[in-house]
Protein backbone atom coordinates (compact mmCIF):
# COMPACT_ATOMS: atom_id res chain seq x y z
CA UNK A 1 0.00 0.00 0.00
CA UNK A 2 1.28 3.47 -0.91
CA UNK A 3 2.37 5.55 2.05
CA UNK A 4 2.41 8.84 0.13
CA UNK A 5 -0.80 10.72 -0.60
CA UNK A 6 -1.45 13.33 -3.26
CA UNK A 7 -1.37 17.00 -2.33
CA UNK A 8 -4.62 18.20 -0.79
CA UNK A 9 -5.86 19.56 -4.12
CA UNK A 10 -9.17 19.80 -5.92
CA UNK A 11 -7.76 17.38 -8.48
CA UNK A 12 -7.00 14.70 -5.90
CA UNK A 13 -10.42 15.17 -4.32
CA UNK A 14 -12.14 14.73 -7.69
CA UNK A 15 -9.92 11.92 -9.02
CA UNK A 16 -11.80 9.21 -10.90
CA UNK A 17 -9.31 6.49 -10.00
CA UNK A 18 -8.24 6.10 -6.39
CA UNK A 19 -6.73 2.64 -6.90
CA UNK A 20 -3.37 2.20 -5.17
CA UNK A 21 -0.92 0.28 -7.32
CA UNK A 22 1.42 -2.27 -5.72
CA UNK A 23 4.96 -1.59 -4.58
CA UNK A 24 7.81 -3.02 -6.65
CA UNK A 25 9.31 -6.13 -5.03
CA UNK A 26 11.65 -8.74 -6.41
CA UNK A 27 13.21 -8.69 -9.87
CA UNK A 28 11.28 -7.97 -13.07
CA UNK A 29 12.30 -8.04 -16.73
CA UNK A 30 10.91 -5.87 -19.54
CA UNK A 31 11.78 -4.08 -22.75
CA UNK A 32 11.57 -0.58 -21.28
CA UNK A 33 11.45 0.69 -17.70
CA UNK A 34 10.07 4.20 -17.24
CA UNK A 35 10.97 6.07 -14.05
CA UNK A 36 8.18 8.47 -13.15
CA UNK A 37 4.40 8.25 -13.61
CA UNK A 38 3.65 11.83 -14.58
CA UNK A 39 2.63 13.00 -18.04
CA UNK A 40 6.04 12.35 -19.61
CA UNK A 41 6.39 8.88 -18.15
CA UNK A 42 2.82 7.74 -18.73
CA UNK A 43 2.75 9.21 -22.23
CA UNK A 44 5.98 7.40 -23.07
CA UNK A 45 4.76 4.13 -21.56
CA UNK A 46 1.39 4.25 -23.33
CA UNK A 47 2.98 5.02 -26.68
CA UNK A 48 5.45 2.14 -26.24
CA UNK A 49 2.69 -0.26 -25.21
CA UNK A 50 0.75 0.72 -28.32
CA UNK A 51 3.83 -0.41 -30.28
CA UNK A 52 3.82 -3.77 -28.53
CA UNK A 53 6.67 -3.16 -26.06
CA UNK A 54 6.70 -4.74 -22.59
CA UNK A 55 6.88 -1.72 -20.28
CA UNK A 56 7.10 -1.23 -16.52
CA UNK A 57 6.59 2.17 -14.89
CA UNK A 58 8.19 2.75 -11.49
CA UNK A 59 6.83 5.69 -9.49
CA UNK A 60 8.26 6.94 -6.19
CA UNK A 61 4.91 8.20 -4.92
CA UNK A 62 1.58 8.21 -6.80
CA UNK A 63 0.58 8.52 -10.44
CA UNK A 64 0.52 12.24 -11.25
CA UNK A 65 1.88 13.17 -7.83
CA UNK A 66 4.02 16.07 -9.13
CA UNK A 67 3.29 18.80 -11.65
CA UNK A 68 1.15 16.50 -13.79
CA UNK A 69 -1.47 16.28 -11.06
CA UNK A 70 -1.19 19.83 -9.69
CA UNK A 71 -0.92 22.18 -12.68
CA UNK A 72 -3.42 24.70 -14.00
CA UNK A 73 -4.90 22.15 -16.40
CA UNK A 74 -4.42 24.35 -19.46
CA UNK A 75 -3.70 22.99 -22.93
CA UNK A 76 -1.41 25.71 -24.31
CA UNK A 77 0.22 25.34 -27.71
CA UNK A 78 3.87 25.82 -28.72
CA UNK A 79 6.83 25.99 -26.33
CA UNK A 80 7.83 28.49 -23.66
CA UNK A 81 10.05 30.06 -26.31
CA UNK A 82 7.97 30.56 -29.40
CA UNK A 83 8.76 29.56 -32.98
CA UNK A 84 10.40 32.87 -33.95
CA UNK A 85 12.85 32.60 -31.05
CA UNK A 86 13.72 29.05 -32.07
CA UNK A 87 14.47 30.11 -35.65
CA UNK A 88 16.61 33.01 -34.44
CA UNK A 89 18.49 30.98 -31.82
CA UNK A 90 18.92 27.59 -33.48
CA UNK A 91 18.69 28.25 -37.22
CA UNK A 92 16.27 27.47 -40.02
CA UNK A 93 16.72 23.70 -40.07
CA UNK A 94 15.84 23.19 -36.41
CA UNK A 95 13.26 25.97 -36.57
CA UNK A 96 11.29 24.29 -39.35
CA UNK A 97 11.33 20.94 -37.59
CA UNK A 98 10.28 22.46 -34.26
CA UNK A 99 7.49 24.43 -35.93
CA UNK A 100 5.98 21.15 -37.13
CA UNK A 101 5.85 19.96 -33.51
CA UNK A 102 4.59 23.18 -31.91
CA UNK A 103 0.92 22.18 -32.04
CA UNK A 104 1.28 18.38 -31.91
CA UNK A 105 0.95 18.02 -28.12
CA UNK A 106 -2.61 19.37 -27.98
CA UNK A 107 -3.62 17.12 -30.89
CA UNK A 108 -2.18 14.07 -29.14
CA UNK A 109 -4.03 14.86 -25.91
CA UNK A 110 -7.37 15.09 -27.72
CA UNK A 111 -6.62 11.91 -29.65
CA UNK A 112 -5.91 10.00 -26.42
CA UNK A 113 -9.01 11.34 -24.67
CA UNK A 114 -11.21 10.25 -27.56
CA UNK A 115 -9.50 6.91 -28.22
CA UNK A 116 -9.49 5.75 -24.61
CA UNK A 117 -12.72 7.51 -23.51
CA UNK A 118 -10.94 9.43 -20.75
CA UNK A 119 -13.26 11.42 -18.48
CA UNK A 120 -11.21 14.52 -17.64
CA UNK A 121 -13.58 17.49 -18.19
CA UNK A 122 -12.10 18.45 -21.57
CA UNK A 123 -13.18 21.92 -22.69
CA UNK A 124 -11.97 23.71 -25.81
CA UNK A 125 -10.32 27.11 -26.23
CA UNK A 126 -7.81 29.21 -24.35
CA UNK A 127 -7.36 32.97 -24.23
CA UNK A 128 -4.06 34.81 -23.95
CA UNK A 129 -4.95 38.07 -22.18
CA UNK A 130 -2.88 41.23 -22.71
CA UNK A 131 -2.47 43.46 -19.67
CA UNK A 132 -1.16 46.45 -21.66
CA UNK A 133 -0.88 47.69 -25.27
CA UNK A 134 2.63 46.27 -25.72
CA UNK A 135 1.44 42.79 -24.82
CA UNK A 136 -1.49 43.18 -27.22
CA UNK A 137 0.95 44.09 -30.01
CA UNK A 138 2.92 40.95 -29.13
CA UNK A 139 -0.27 38.87 -29.46
CA UNK A 140 -0.88 40.32 -32.93
CA UNK A 141 2.62 39.15 -33.84
CA UNK A 142 1.96 35.72 -32.30
CA UNK A 143 -1.19 35.32 -34.39
CA UNK A 144 0.70 36.13 -37.59
CA UNK A 145 3.56 33.82 -36.58
CA UNK A 146 1.35 30.82 -35.79
CA UNK A 147 -0.74 31.34 -38.91
CA UNK A 148 2.43 31.35 -41.01
CA UNK A 149 3.06 27.84 -39.67
CA UNK A 150 -0.39 26.48 -40.42
CA UNK A 151 -2.37 27.24 -37.25
CA UNK A 152 -5.47 29.12 -38.39
CA UNK A 153 -7.90 28.65 -35.49
CA UNK A 154 -7.03 31.96 -33.90
CA UNK A 155 -9.01 35.14 -33.23
CA UNK A 156 -7.64 38.48 -32.10
CA UNK A 157 -9.77 40.08 -29.38
CA UNK A 158 -10.01 43.82 -28.80
CA UNK A 159 -10.33 45.40 -25.36
CA UNK A 160 -14.11 45.28 -25.76
CA UNK A 161 -14.49 41.89 -27.47
CA UNK A 162 -12.32 40.12 -24.88
CA UNK A 163 -15.08 40.89 -22.39
CA UNK A 164 -17.28 38.47 -24.32
CA UNK A 165 -14.92 35.81 -22.95
CA UNK A 166 -13.63 37.29 -19.66
CA UNK A 167 -15.86 39.25 -17.30
CA UNK A 168 -13.13 41.67 -16.23
CA UNK A 169 -11.96 45.07 -17.41
CA UNK A 170 -8.27 44.33 -16.71
CA UNK A 171 -7.22 43.57 -20.25
CA UNK A 172 -6.16 45.58 -23.30
CA UNK A 173 -7.10 42.74 -25.64
CA UNK A 174 -6.32 39.10 -26.21
CA UNK A 175 -5.90 36.15 -28.53
CA UNK A 176 -8.29 33.20 -28.61
CA UNK A 177 -6.72 29.86 -29.58
CA UNK A 178 -9.44 27.37 -30.38
CA UNK A 179 -6.88 24.56 -30.49
CA UNK A 180 -6.11 25.24 -26.84
CA UNK A 181 -8.31 24.11 -23.99
CA UNK A 182 -8.36 22.74 -20.48
CA UNK A 183 -8.76 19.49 -18.58
CA UNK A 184 -8.69 17.97 -15.10
CA UNK A 185 -5.00 17.03 -15.35
CA UNK A 186 -4.84 14.30 -12.74
CA UNK A 187 -7.76 12.49 -14.36
CA UNK A 188 -6.01 12.80 -17.73
CA UNK A 189 -2.92 11.14 -16.24
CA UNK A 190 -4.96 8.45 -14.52
CA UNK A 191 -7.00 7.76 -17.64
CA UNK A 192 -3.86 7.23 -19.70
CA UNK A 193 -2.41 5.05 -16.95
CA UNK A 194 -5.47 2.80 -17.13
CA UNK A 195 -5.17 2.63 -20.92
CA UNK A 196 -1.53 1.61 -20.52
CA UNK A 197 -2.46 -1.10 -18.02
CA UNK A 198 -5.23 -2.35 -20.30
CA UNK A 199 -2.53 -2.89 -22.93
CA UNK A 200 -0.56 -5.06 -20.51
CA UNK A 201 1.67 -2.46 -18.89
CA UNK A 202 2.55 -2.50 -15.20
CA UNK A 203 2.78 0.46 -12.81
CA UNK A 204 4.39 0.24 -9.38
CA UNK A 205 3.79 3.05 -6.88
CA UNK A 206 5.55 3.97 -3.65
CA UNK A 207 8.71 2.58 -5.25
CA UNK A 208 11.35 5.30 -5.12
CA UNK A 209 14.31 4.57 -7.37
CA UNK A 210 17.58 4.71 -5.46
CA UNK A 211 19.98 3.76 -8.24
CA UNK A 212 20.27 3.39 -11.98
CA UNK A 213 22.78 0.96 -13.42
CA UNK A 214 23.82 1.58 -17.00
CA UNK A 215 24.55 -1.30 -19.33
CA UNK A 216 22.94 -3.70 -21.76
CA UNK A 217 20.53 -4.38 -20.19
CA UNK A 218 20.24 -1.59 -17.61
CA UNK A 219 18.85 -1.82 -14.12
CA UNK A 220 16.43 0.31 -12.13
CA UNK A 221 16.86 -0.37 -8.42
CA UNK A 222 14.45 0.47 -5.58
CA UNK A 223 14.75 -0.48 -1.91
CA UNK A 224 12.66 -3.62 -2.42
CA UNK A 225 13.00 -4.49 -6.08
CA UNK A 226 14.81 -4.29 -9.39
CA UNK A 227 13.72 -3.90 -12.99
CA UNK A 228 16.06 -5.18 -15.68
CA UNK A 229 15.32 -3.48 -19.00
CA UNK A 230 16.75 -3.09 -22.48
CA UNK A 231 16.07 0.66 -22.28
CA UNK A 232 15.40 3.08 -19.41
CA UNK A 233 13.52 6.39 -19.54
CA UNK A 234 13.96 8.88 -16.69
CA UNK A 235 10.88 11.10 -16.54
CA UNK A 236 11.05 12.61 -13.07
CA UNK A 237 11.25 16.26 -14.21
CA UNK A 238 11.28 18.47 -11.07
CA UNK A 239 11.11 15.35 -8.86
CA UNK A 240 14.14 13.50 -10.24
CA UNK A 241 16.04 13.63 -6.89
CA UNK A 242 19.65 12.70 -7.56
CA UNK A 243 19.37 9.99 -10.22
CA UNK A 244 21.09 11.99 -12.98
CA UNK A 245 23.24 14.64 -11.25
CA UNK A 246 24.73 16.10 -14.42
CA UNK A 247 21.27 16.50 -15.94
CA UNK A 248 19.84 18.04 -12.76
CA UNK A 249 22.47 20.81 -12.85
CA UNK A 250 20.91 22.12 -16.04
CA UNK A 251 17.46 22.93 -14.65
CA UNK A 252 15.87 24.48 -11.58
CA UNK A 253 12.68 23.43 -9.77
CA UNK A 254 10.18 26.25 -9.31
CA UNK A 255 6.90 26.32 -7.45
CA UNK A 256 3.54 27.68 -8.51
CA UNK A 257 0.43 28.11 -6.38
CA UNK A 258 -3.21 27.30 -7.12
CA UNK A 259 -6.50 27.90 -5.33
CA UNK A 260 -10.00 26.62 -6.05
CA UNK A 261 -13.21 28.25 -4.96
CA UNK A 262 -16.36 26.53 -3.84
CA UNK A 263 -18.78 25.64 -6.68
CA UNK A 264 -20.21 28.91 -7.98
CA UNK A 265 -23.78 29.64 -9.09
CA UNK A 266 -24.29 29.29 -12.85
CA UNK A 267 -24.99 33.00 -13.31
CA UNK A 268 -21.70 33.84 -11.59
CA UNK A 269 -19.84 31.34 -13.76
CA UNK A 270 -21.30 32.99 -16.86
CA UNK A 271 -20.28 36.39 -15.55
CA UNK A 272 -16.69 35.29 -14.94
CA UNK A 273 -16.01 33.25 -18.10
CA UNK A 274 -18.99 33.44 -20.49
CA UNK A 275 -17.46 31.09 -23.09
CA UNK A 276 -15.83 28.75 -20.54
CA UNK A 277 -12.36 29.08 -22.07
CA UNK A 278 -9.28 29.02 -19.88
CA UNK A 279 -7.16 32.16 -19.54
CA UNK A 280 -3.55 33.03 -19.00
CA UNK A 281 -2.27 36.59 -19.03
CA UNK A 282 0.90 37.69 -20.79
CA UNK A 283 2.92 38.82 -17.80
CA UNK A 284 6.31 37.29 -17.05
CA UNK A 285 4.92 36.13 -13.69
CA UNK A 286 1.57 35.23 -15.13
CA UNK A 287 -1.88 34.50 -13.71
CA UNK A 288 -3.92 31.62 -15.13
CA UNK A 289 -7.47 30.56 -14.40
CA UNK A 290 -10.48 28.58 -15.61
CA UNK A 291 -13.73 26.97 -14.52
CA UNK A 292 -13.71 23.36 -13.37
CA UNK A 293 -16.19 20.76 -14.54
CA UNK A 294 -18.35 21.41 -11.47
CA UNK A 295 -18.26 25.20 -11.71
CA UNK A 296 -15.41 26.22 -9.42
CA UNK A 297 -12.91 28.92 -10.36
CA UNK A 298 -9.40 27.48 -10.41
CA UNK A 299 -6.91 30.35 -10.15
CA UNK A 300 -3.12 30.07 -10.15
CA UNK A 301 0.00 32.18 -10.28
CA UNK A 302 3.03 33.18 -8.29
CA UNK A 303 6.44 31.60 -8.69
CA UNK A 304 8.85 30.49 -5.97
CA UNK A 305 12.32 29.85 -7.35
CA UNK A 306 13.96 26.79 -5.89
CA UNK A 307 10.51 25.27 -5.23
CA UNK A 308 10.09 26.51 -1.66
CA UNK A 309 6.58 26.02 -0.33
CA UNK A 310 5.11 29.42 0.62
CA UNK A 311 3.65 29.75 4.08
CA UNK A 312 0.17 30.85 3.05
CA UNK A 313 -0.90 30.14 -0.51
CA UNK A 314 -4.18 32.06 -0.22
CA UNK A 315 -2.33 35.25 0.74
CA UNK A 316 -0.45 35.08 -2.57
CA UNK A 317 -3.24 34.08 -4.94
CA UNK A 318 -6.50 35.49 -3.52
CA UNK A 319 -5.42 39.14 -4.10
CA UNK A 320 -4.61 38.23 -7.72
CA UNK A 321 -8.03 36.62 -8.15
CA UNK A 322 -9.83 39.60 -6.60
CA UNK A 323 -7.95 42.03 -8.84
CA UNK A 324 -9.45 40.17 -11.79
CA UNK A 325 -12.81 39.37 -10.20
CA UNK A 326 -13.76 41.65 -7.27
CA UNK A 327 -17.21 40.02 -7.17
CA UNK A 328 -15.58 36.93 -5.62
CA UNK A 329 -14.66 38.74 -2.40
CA UNK A 330 -17.02 36.52 -0.40
CA UNK A 331 -16.33 33.27 -2.26
CA UNK A 332 -15.05 30.44 -0.08
CA UNK A 333 -11.70 28.88 -0.99
CA UNK A 334 -12.04 25.10 -0.75
CA UNK A 335 -8.54 24.06 -1.85
CA UNK A 336 -5.07 25.61 -2.01
CA UNK A 337 -1.89 23.83 -3.05
CA UNK A 338 1.53 24.27 -4.56
CA UNK A 339 3.54 22.14 -6.98
CA UNK A 340 6.89 22.18 -8.73
CA UNK A 341 7.68 22.59 -12.40
CA UNK A 342 11.16 22.58 -13.92
CA UNK A 343 12.70 25.67 -15.48
CA UNK A 344 15.63 25.55 -17.91
CA UNK A 345 18.12 28.29 -18.73
CA UNK A 346 16.95 28.52 -22.36
CA UNK A 347 13.29 27.83 -21.44
CA UNK A 348 13.33 24.91 -23.89
CA UNK A 349 12.77 21.22 -23.06
CA UNK A 350 15.92 19.25 -22.33
CA UNK A 351 16.04 15.87 -24.03
CA UNK A 352 18.92 13.45 -24.29
CA UNK A 353 20.45 10.01 -24.15
CA UNK A 354 23.16 8.73 -21.81
CA UNK A 355 25.14 5.79 -23.06
CA UNK A 356 23.33 3.41 -25.38
CA UNK A 357 19.95 3.04 -23.73
CA UNK A 358 19.20 5.61 -21.00
CA UNK A 359 16.88 8.40 -22.14
CA UNK A 360 15.60 11.48 -20.33
CA UNK A 361 13.27 14.43 -20.94
CA UNK A 362 12.61 17.36 -18.63
CA UNK A 363 12.31 21.13 -18.23
CA UNK A 364 9.14 22.22 -20.04
CA UNK A 365 9.33 25.60 -18.28
CA UNK A 366 5.60 26.08 -17.75
CA UNK A 367 4.34 24.39 -20.94
CA UNK A 368 4.36 20.88 -19.53
CA UNK A 369 0.83 19.71 -20.30
CA UNK A 370 1.30 19.70 -24.07
CA UNK A 371 5.09 19.33 -24.25
CA UNK A 372 5.23 16.31 -21.93
CA UNK A 373 2.68 14.40 -23.99
CA UNK A 374 4.57 15.19 -27.18
CA UNK A 375 7.84 14.16 -25.56
CA UNK A 376 6.43 10.80 -24.52
CA UNK A 377 5.64 10.01 -28.13
CA UNK A 378 9.07 11.26 -29.26
CA UNK A 379 10.90 9.13 -26.69
CA UNK A 380 8.80 6.13 -27.66
CA UNK A 381 9.63 6.63 -31.34
CA UNK A 382 13.35 6.93 -30.54
CA UNK A 383 13.39 3.69 -28.55
CA UNK A 384 11.50 2.05 -31.40
CA UNK A 385 14.19 3.20 -33.84
CA UNK A 386 12.78 6.44 -35.27
CA UNK A 387 15.03 9.18 -33.84
CA UNK A 388 14.16 12.03 -36.23
CA UNK A 389 12.23 14.19 -33.78
CA UNK A 390 14.30 13.09 -30.78
CA UNK A 391 17.48 14.21 -32.54
CA UNK A 392 16.08 17.70 -33.07
CA UNK A 393 15.64 18.25 -29.33
CA UNK A 394 18.82 16.39 -28.38
CA UNK A 395 20.88 18.59 -30.71
CA UNK A 396 20.01 21.76 -28.80
CA UNK A 397 22.69 22.85 -26.30
CA UNK A 398 21.76 22.54 -22.63
CA UNK A 399 23.21 25.19 -20.32
CA UNK A 400 23.54 25.43 -16.56
CA UNK A 401 22.13 28.45 -14.77
CA UNK A 402 24.84 31.00 -13.89
CA UNK A 403 26.08 30.90 -10.33
CA UNK A 404 25.70 27.18 -9.78
CA UNK A 405 23.39 25.75 -7.14
CA UNK A 406 24.11 28.51 -4.60
CA UNK A 407 23.43 31.55 -6.80
CA UNK A 408 21.07 30.36 -9.52
CA UNK A 409 17.99 31.08 -7.40
CA UNK A 410 18.83 34.71 -6.45
CA UNK A 411 20.07 35.45 -9.99
CA UNK A 412 16.84 34.14 -11.51
CA UNK A 413 14.71 35.95 -8.93
CA UNK A 414 16.44 39.25 -9.75
CA UNK A 415 15.68 38.67 -13.42
CA UNK A 416 12.05 37.99 -12.58
CA UNK A 417 11.80 41.27 -10.65
CA UNK A 418 13.17 43.11 -13.70
CA UNK A 419 10.68 41.56 -16.13
CA UNK A 420 7.81 41.95 -13.67
CA UNK A 421 8.59 45.67 -13.44
CA UNK A 422 8.58 45.91 -17.25
CA UNK A 423 5.13 44.31 -17.29
CA UNK A 424 3.84 46.80 -14.75
CA UNK A 425 5.25 49.71 -16.76
CA UNK A 426 3.96 48.26 -20.03
CA UNK A 427 7.38 48.34 -21.74
Amino acid sequence: MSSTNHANSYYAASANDKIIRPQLTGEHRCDVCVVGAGFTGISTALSLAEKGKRVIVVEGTRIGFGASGRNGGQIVNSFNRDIDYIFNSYGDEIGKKMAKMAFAGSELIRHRIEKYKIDCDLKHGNVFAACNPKQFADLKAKKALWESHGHNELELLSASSIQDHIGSDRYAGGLLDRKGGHIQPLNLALGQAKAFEDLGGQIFEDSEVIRLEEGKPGKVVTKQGTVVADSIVVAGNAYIFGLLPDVEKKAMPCGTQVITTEPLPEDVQKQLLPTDHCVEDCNYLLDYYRLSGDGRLIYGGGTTYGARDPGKIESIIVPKMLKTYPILKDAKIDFAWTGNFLLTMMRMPQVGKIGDNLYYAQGYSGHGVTNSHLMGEILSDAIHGDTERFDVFASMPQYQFPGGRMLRIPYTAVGAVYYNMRDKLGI
Side-chain angles (χ1 to χ4, degrees):
M1 180 175 289
S2 176
S3 61
T4 306
N5 292 320
H6 281 284
N8 183 27
S9 70
Y10 165 71
Y11 301 140
S14 59
N16 294 330
D17 174 0
K18 293 182 169 63
I19 297 170
I20 297 174
R21 274 69 177 181
Q23 193 175 58
L24 180 74
T25 57
E27 183 170 294
H28 299 255
R29 185 71 169 84
C30 63
D31 296 324
V32 184
C33 181
V34 177
V35 180
F39 282 153
T40 302
I42 293 297
S43 179
T44 304
L46 178 54
S47 186
L48 285 166
E50 289 173 336
K51 295 177 172 72
K53 295 287 188 182
R54 293 175 299 138
V55 186
I56 291 174
V57 177
V58 181
E59 165 58 44
T61 50
R62 301 291 303 279
I63 296 168
F65 174 83
S68 300
R70 307 191 199 192
N71 63 78
Q74 303 208 11
I75 301 171
V76 179
N77 280 300
S78 195
F79 310 98
N80 182 295
R81 299 294 197 186
D82 217 338
I83 300 168
D84 54 347
Y85 173 91
I86 296 169
F87 269 91
N88 292 334
S89 299
Y90 303 105
D92 288 353
E93 183 179 354
I94 288 179
K96 290 175 183 177
K97 291 176 179 177
M98 291 290 288
K100 291 180 179 179
M101 294 185 272
F103 313 108
S106 62
E107 294 170 358
L108 177 59
I109 289 169
R110 286 184 171 86
H111 168 73
R112 292 251 178 93
I113 291 172
E114 181 178 359
K115 180 177 181 179
Y116 295 111
K117 305 295 188 291
I118 299 173
D119 178 12
C120 59
D121 297 334
L122 172 64
K123 301 179 185 181
H124 301 289
N126 78 280
V127 175
F128 299 99
C131 297
N132 55 57
K134 179 187 179 300
Q135 292 179 358
F136 186 53
D138 291 342
L139 289 178
K140 290 181 181 178
K142 179 190 286 288
K143 181 175 184 288
L145 175 69
W146 284 11
E147 287 176 341
S148 72
H149 292 284
H151 182 7
N152 296 307
E153 296 183 42
L154 302 164
E155 179 184 347
L156 201 65
L157 306 172
S158 67
S160 58
S161 62
I162 196 173
Q163 293 185 30
D164 294 335
H165 303 275
I166 306 172
S168 175
D169 59 4
R170 285 190 63 184
Y171 304 113
L175 180 65
L176 169 61
D177 178 6
R178 292 187 175 85
K179 279 191 176 180
H182 52 115
I183 36 82
Q184 207 277 34
L186 181 56
N187 279 336
L188 176 59
L190 290 166
Q192 291 177 95
K194 180 182 183 301
F196 165 67
E197 291 172 322
D198 288 345
L199 291 173
Q202 292 177 280
I203 301 174
F204 294 96
E205 293 184 315
D206 196 25
S207 301
E208 182 180 355
V209 176
I210 58 175
R211 188 172 73 254
L212 299 174
E213 296 182 6
E214 294 181 49
K216 290 186 173 182
K219 287 186 179 182
V220 174
V221 182
T222 71
K223 288 182 179 178
Q224 275 108 7
T226 302
V227 180
V228 180
D230 297 328
S231 298
I232 297 170
V233 174
V234 178
N237 206 42
Y239 296 80
I240 194 171
F241 299 142
L243 292 180
L244 300 175
D246 290 339
V247 173
E248 289 181 61
K249 293 176 184 176
K250 299 172 184 175
M252 178 171 61
C254 298
T256 185
Q257 293 77 51
V258 187
I259 60 173
T260 305
T261 69
E262 62 189 337
L264 302 170
E266 286 190 19
D267 63 326
V268 176
Q269 296 176 44
K270 284 291 185 183
Q271 188 173 349
L272 301 180
L273 291 164
T275 51
D276 207 5
H277 301 320
C278 62
V279 179
E280 67 171 65
D281 69 32
C282 298
N283 286 334
Y284 185 83
L285 300 178
L286 57 83
D287 288 5
Y288 50 90
Y289 50 94
R290 64 189 186 88
L291 288 170
S292 68
D294 59 353
R296 304 168 184 268
L297 185 70
I298 300 174
Y299 203 106
T303 300
T304 52
Y305 295 101
R308 298 172 292 103
D309 287 350
K312 186 69 171 174
I313 296 167
E314 292 95 326
S315 68
I316 299 172
I317 305 302
V318 169
K320 295 174 177 288
M321 179 184 75
L322 294 181
K323 185 177 180 181
T324 306
Y325 294 124
I327 63 168
L328 294 179
K329 65 182 186 306
D330 295 324
K332 180 175 176 288
I333 305 302
D334 278 351
F335 299 93
W337 69 93
T338 187
N340 298 339
F341 65 96
L342 200 63
L343 190 72
T344 68
M345 181 67 182
M346 302 302 288
R347 307 302 194 265
M348 292 296 295
Q350 294 175 340
V351 182
K353 183 179 179 183
I354 299 171
D356 295 320
N357 57 351
L358 199 162
Y359 299 80
Y360 67 88
Q362 65 172 26
Y364 308 116
S365 302
H367 279 239
V369 173
T370 50
N371 287 183
S372 58
H373 282 83
L374 170 66
M375 207 55 60
E377 195 173 59
I378 289 172
L379 290 169
S380 167
D381 287 347
I383 292 168
H384 205 64
D386 178 3
T387 64
E388 182 179 0
R389 293 191 295 176
F390 175 87
D391 290 342
V392 175
F393 282 96
S395 69
M396 296 181 183
Q398 300 175 12
Y399 300 107
Q400 295 186 32
F401 282 86
R405 285 187 176 275
M406 293 297 293
L407 296 178
R408 66 182 181 178
I409 293 173
Y411 280 177
T412 307
V414 168
V417 169
Y418 168 75
Y419 285 108
N420 189 43
M421 183 61 67
R422 286 175 62 94
D423 287 333
K424 289 180 178 179
L425 297 174
I427 58 176

